[in-house]
Amino acid sequence: MENKKIVLSGIQPTGTPTLGNYVGAVRNWALLQKEDTFCCYCVADLHAITVRQNPTELRKFRYNMAALLLAAGIDPERSIVFMQSHVPEHTQLSWVLNCNTYMGELSRMTQFKDKSAKHEDNINAGLFTYPVLMAADILLYQTDLVPVGHDQKQHLELARDIAIRFNNAFGETFKVPEGFIPGTGGRIMSLQEPEKKMSKSDPNPNGFVAIMDDPAVIRNKFKRAVTDCDGEIRYDLQNKPGVSNLLAIYSIFTGKSMDETVNDFKGSGYGALKTTVADAVVEELMPIQQRFREISADKEYVAKVLSDGAEAARRMARKTVSKAYHKTGFDK
Ligand code: TYM
C-alpha cells in the first residue's frame, strides 16, 4: 500500500441518491479503483443527523446506500467500504480539528447558509461544524485524492486549510489532500430548473433522476426536461443551461468528448436529444439496479463487507489519531 495513492470520499445516506451523486461522485469512485490507488469509501451517516432524521428510515437508508455503492462497482476486494459511525476515530479527530478551525471560516460555508435557510427550526451546532467532521474523514486516512462533485469544493478547501494550519502549528501530521472534481459532470443540474444543481432534497421529483428510478420514469423525466426555445443544440452553460446539462450527461455516459457529443446531435431536435440521453442513462443504470436488488437482499454479505471495512479503516485511522493526539499533548 506504501506507493499507492490514497483515495477517500463519502456520501450521506439521506433521501434517494440521484444522477448527480452518481456522475459527480460514485461513478468516479468506481473508476478510481486502479493498480496505483487504494480507495476508502464511506457512508457518511454521522453527517446525516445534522438534519433531523427518523431513526428507522436512517437505518434503512444507510444500509441501502452501502448496498448501492457495491452495486455501482465499488469492489470490497480492492477497496474499503465502511459506515462512518463504525469508526469512532472520525469523531475523535474531529474534536481536535474543531479546536483548530475558526468560526469565521465555518460561517462562510455556502452549504451552511443554504441548509440553515432551509431548516430554520433546527440550526444545530452540528450543521455548523459539519465541514470539520468532513475534514476529519479526509485527513484521518492521509488521503491524496478526494473525488467529489463541485458543491463540496469549499469544504475540501477548508480541509486543506485545517491540515496546513495544524501541520504548521504542531509539525507534519496530515497529508494535504487534492480534490478530484470532474470538469464535465461536477455539477449536474436540475432537469426542471437547470440553473440549480440536481438535488435529492428537491421537492419536485421531476427535477432529479434517482439512481433507482424505473426506466419508464427516467425516460419520462428526461422527456419533460426544461430546455429553451431557440432549438439549437450547442454547449453553452451560460445561455443554454438545460441543453448543456443534457449534453454533459450524454458525454459522460458515452465517454465521448463534448465536440463529438455536439456533433452526434447535428440536425437533431430537442426531442431526439432527450430520448437519446435517457437511453444512455437507462443502459448504464439498469445493471446497477439489478445488482442492487441482489446485493441488498444478502444482508450477511453486506454486514461482512461493512465489518471488514470498518476494521481496515480503523487500522489506518488509529495511526493518524495517535499522531494528532500526541502532537497536541495527549499521550497515553
Ligand atoms: P452528498 O451526500 O451531498 O453528495 C455525495 C456526492 O455527490 C456529489 N453531488 C453532485 N455532483 C454533481 N452534481 C450534482 N448535482 C451533485 N449532487 C451531489 C457531491 O459533491 C458529493 O461528492 N459532505 C459530503 C459527504 C462527505 C464527504 C466526506 C465527501 C462526508 N465526508 C469526505 C468527501 C470526503 C456530502 O454531503 O455529499
Side-chain angles (χ1 to χ4, degrees):
M1 198 161 100
E2 266 80 73
N3 303 320
K4 296 194 177 195
K5 269 197 174 8
I6 305 221
V7 177
L8 175 127
S9 200
I11 184 164
Q12 293 200 48
T14 46
T16 357
T18 68
L19 197 64
N21 298 128
Y22 180 67
V23 171
V26 177
R27 191 171 192 272
N28 293 325
W29 296 6
L31 295 172
L32 279 166
Q33 302 175 111
K34 293 190 281 204
E35 287 295 301
D36 61 344
T37 56
F38 184 80
C39 302
C40 312
Y41 296 129
C42 78
V43 176
D45 54 352
L46 295 172
H47 283 268
I49 62 163
T50 53
V51 172
R52 182 81 65 222
Q53 301 290 336
N54 169 317
T56 310
E57 287 218 318
L58 179 58
R59 242 173 236 124
K60 187 177 83 195
F61 280 139
R62 64 207 270 283
Y63 176 85
N64 283 347
M65 183 60 83
L68 186 63
L69 295 182
L70 300 173
I74 311 300
D75 176 3
E77 300 289 320
R78 289 195 283 169
S79 306
I80 298 180
V81 183
F82 64 99
M83 209 59 90
Q84 185 188 27
S85 65
H86 292 174
V87 181
E89 284 75 10
H90 288 249
T91 41
Q92 284 180 321
L93 183 62
S94 149
W95 176 250
V96 172
L97 299 186
N98 258 310
C99 299
N100 287 279
T101 306
Y102 301 120
M103 300 283 283
E105 289 176 304
L106 294 174
S107 320
R108 285 195 290 276
M109 296 292 124
T110 55
Q111 265 204 359
F112 171 69
K113 292 186 209 164
D114 291 350
K115 285 202 177 169
S116 40
K118 247 196 226 160
H119 303 277
E120 262 181 350
D121 56 332
N122 183 20
I123 306 179
N124 61 75
L127 188 65
F128 188 64
T129 60
Y130 146 121
V132 182
L133 179 59
M134 178 164 157
D137 300 341
I138 298 169
L139 302 181
L140 267 181
Y141 298 90
Q142 304 294 342
T143 302
D144 293 284
L145 213 56
V146 186
V148 280
H150 192 268
D151 64 341
Q152 294 299 323
K153 191 165 184 249
Q154 200 186 22
H155 292 160
L156 183 65
E157 271 158 17
L158 178 70
R160 288 171 51 89
D161 290 345
I162 297 173
I164 293 168
R165 178 175 311 138
F166 191 98
N167 288 347
N168 285 341
F170 299 99
E172 213 46 39
T173 309
F174 301 117
K175 171 90 61 73
V176 181
E178 301 289 334
F180 180 94
I181 301 175
T184 308
R187 204 171 146 77
I188 296 294
M189 310 310 276
S190 156
L191 296 184
Q192 288 299 310
E193 294 168 89
E195 41 306 304
K196 282 188 3 199
K197 77 162 188 178
M198 184 181 283
S199 162
K200 51 191 163 197
S201 56
D202 191 337
N204 178 358
N206 287 322
F208 62 85
V209 169
I211 300 178
M212 291 305 292
D213 272 345
D214 277 347
V217 173
I218 297 178
R219 291 206 167 88
N220 199 29
K221 287 183 177 178
F222 275 108
K223 202 181 273 171
R224 290 158 161 240
V226 168
T227 47
D228 52 53
C229 46
D230 80 5
E232 192 195 341
I233 298 183
R234 73 189 145 82
Y235 189 70
D236 178 349
L237 285 174
Q238 202 69 36
N239 300 307
K240 297 173 71 69
V243 169
S244 303
N245 193 38
L246 295 174
L247 290 171
I249 295 170
Y250 180 83
S251 136
I252 287 154
F253 279 84
T254 56
K256 292 185 181 180
S257 70
M258 193 46 81
D259 283 346
E260 283 175 281
T261 297
V262 173
N263 212 33
D264 276 3
F265 292 105
K266 232 185 195 151
S268 305
Y270 289 170
L273 170 68
K274 291 175 181 179
T275 316
T276 315
V277 176
D279 285 344
V281 170
V282 166
E283 191 183 317
E284 185 161 328
L285 293 187
M286 284 313 102
I288 296 178
Q289 294 190 0
Q290 181 53 33
R291 279 197 298 274
F292 172 80
R293 284 188 280 271
E294 288 159 18
I295 293 170
S296 61
D298 193 345
K299 296 219 161 62
E300 252 174 59
Y301 171 70
V302 176
K304 173 87 171 81
V305 167
L306 290 176
S307 78
D308 289 353
E311 207 177 293
R314 290 200 73 181
R315 268 200 301 277
M316 295 169 76
R318 256 197 304 262
K319 285 191 196 149
T320 305
V321 167
S322 301
K323 206 164 153 190
Y325 270 42
H326 169 69
K327 298 265 168 128
T328 305
F330 301 149
D331 289 305
K332 285 222 177 88

